Amino acid sequence: DRAGVRLVFRRMSANPFLDSAFHIRWSTLAPEHVASAIEAALAQARAAVEEIAGRDLGSLTYANTFLALENSTEALNLAWAKVTHLQSVVDSPALRDAHNAMLPGVSAFYASIPLNAGLWRRLKAVAATAEEAARKWRRESESGVMTG
């Protein structure tokens, strides 16, 4: 959940790439911080995705699946966006090396999401429940009988 992501950010905010403040302190972002920031954000994102993928099928909700998946990568998205932005505007050999060192792990993580069978089984289960609820609502609204 979003509160959990903010807590992770607070714990990791000693690293400027993980600082979630609206005003980015660009002058504090240095190549030597990239690896630790991205590794920490990747670990948090992996753990969040695995938590969703391991949820009991009977306890699934939109909030603990779809919304949780959206929030699971927030720290990584923000940190990686800072890295790639810096590389595009103030590229240097050290920054390029730091970016290139983390790129395979970031790419592999994002590529692993659609391949996670447990995650998709849970997302499909929630989607099917929502579709059935919508069909029921349509049937009842069309017949003029709402059962609540």
Side-chain angles (χ1 to χ4, degrees):
D1 65 11
R2 279 190 118 57
V5 169
R6 282 191 291 274
L7 179 61
V8 168
F9 270 135
R10 268 189 237 115
R11 274 189 264 137
M12 297 188 299
S13 66
N15 185 310
F17 283 97
L18 297 169
D19 186 349
S20 64
F22 179 76
H23 296 288
I24 299 170
R25 298 172 299 146
W26 294 105
S27 64
T28 65
L29 301 176
E32 60 268 16
H33 298 125
V34 171
S36 62
I38 300 305
E39 288 167 358
L42 275 169
Q44 184 267 329
R46 281 187 195 107
V49 168
E50 287 308 313
E51 180 182 335
I52 300 163
R55 289 195 187 280
D56 177 70
L57 290 171
S59 69
L60 300 177
T61 65
Y62 173 82
N64 71 16
T65 56
F66 284 94
L67 188 57
L69 178 59
E70 181 178 331
N71 293 332
S72 69
T73 59
E74 188 171 342
L76 180 58
N77 291 342
L78 291 173
W80 192 244
K82 291 174 187 173
V83 173
T84 58
H85 176 75
L86 279 179
Q87 188 189 22
S88 70
V89 297
V90 291
D91 195 21
S92 68
L95 185 57
R96 194 172 317 117
D97 289 345
H99 173 272
N100 290 342
M102 294 293 99
L103 183 59
V106 172
S107 297
F109 168 73
Y110 283 113
S112 75
I113 292 174
L115 302 175
N116 186 320
L119 174 66
W120 291 108
R121 189 171 21 264
R122 280 141 184 89
L123 294 175
K124 286 180 191 177
V126 171
T129 302
E131 288 173 16
E132 180 54 36
R135 280 193 293 274
K136 179 181 176 190
W137 182 85
R138 277 193 301 276
R139 281 191 309 268
E140 290 175 354
S141 66
E142 288 169 358
S143 70
V145 178
M146 299 297 277
T147 62

